[in-house]
Amino acid sequence: MYKRVKMENPNLSLKQLHAIEQQGESILRDRAEIIALDRRRNGNREALRTLTREKGTKTWFALGPMLVKMPVSTATSLLKADQVTINSEINKIRSDLKIKVNKLRDLEFESPLPGLDLKPMTREEMAAVNQVLGGHAE
């Protein structure tokens, strides 16, 4: 991993190794943040599913450290808004993570990972592929 760092100048080598370690730690922090947000998103998804089965008009809802009784519709809208926020945060962190991984590979004198900068197909592109394949692509 560190085989290409030249040892002719120990201070420069130490700075290079330090930069590599910092970038690696930043990547690990971002991955941990994605995992935490994903757990929160799954919890919200479970709560939304439970609220759809709710028979009453009001439910208990945790707002930070407080437990509040509120209408089911309000709780559902709060959870849906939180889902949108979480999804955008996860997408932002993932896009930043791709940049950080490529920067780490640069610091390690490695080539960028192939396919890391791929973007998903748009609906129009997917419709065209589906039309060419005769409706078999999903």
Side-chain angles (χ1 to χ4, degrees), residues 87-101:
N87 286 335
S88 66
E89 283 185 45
I90 287 175
N91 289 337
K92 181 184 178 299
I93 293 172
R94 282 186 178 152
S95 65
D96 292 345
L97 194 58
K98 292 175 184 179
I99 295 167
K100 288 180 180 182
V101 167

Side-chain angles (χ1 to χ4, degrees), residues 14-71:
L14 201 55
K15 284 181 184 179
Q16 180 73 12
L17 290 173
H18 183 69
I20 290 171
E21 288 297 321
Q22 280 185 325
Q23 192 67 24
E25 287 175 8
S26 175
I27 289 169
L28 291 176
R29 275 192 306 272
D30 282 355
R31 291 185 69 196
E33 181 70 20
I34 288 172
I35 291 169
L37 287 170
D38 193 45
R39 285 188 179 136
R40 188 169 135 200
R41 179 172 56 181
N42 286 335
N44 282 356
R45 191 177 298 135
E46 290 172 8
L48 282 167
R49 179 76 175 146
T50 302
L51 285 175
T52 59
R53 298 180 189 159
E54 190 71 29
K55 301 257 192 248
T57 58
K58 293 198 175 209
T59 188
W60 288 99
F61 194 83
L63 289 173
M66 297 184 316
L67 196 58
V68 179
K69 193 166 190 174
M70 64 173 53

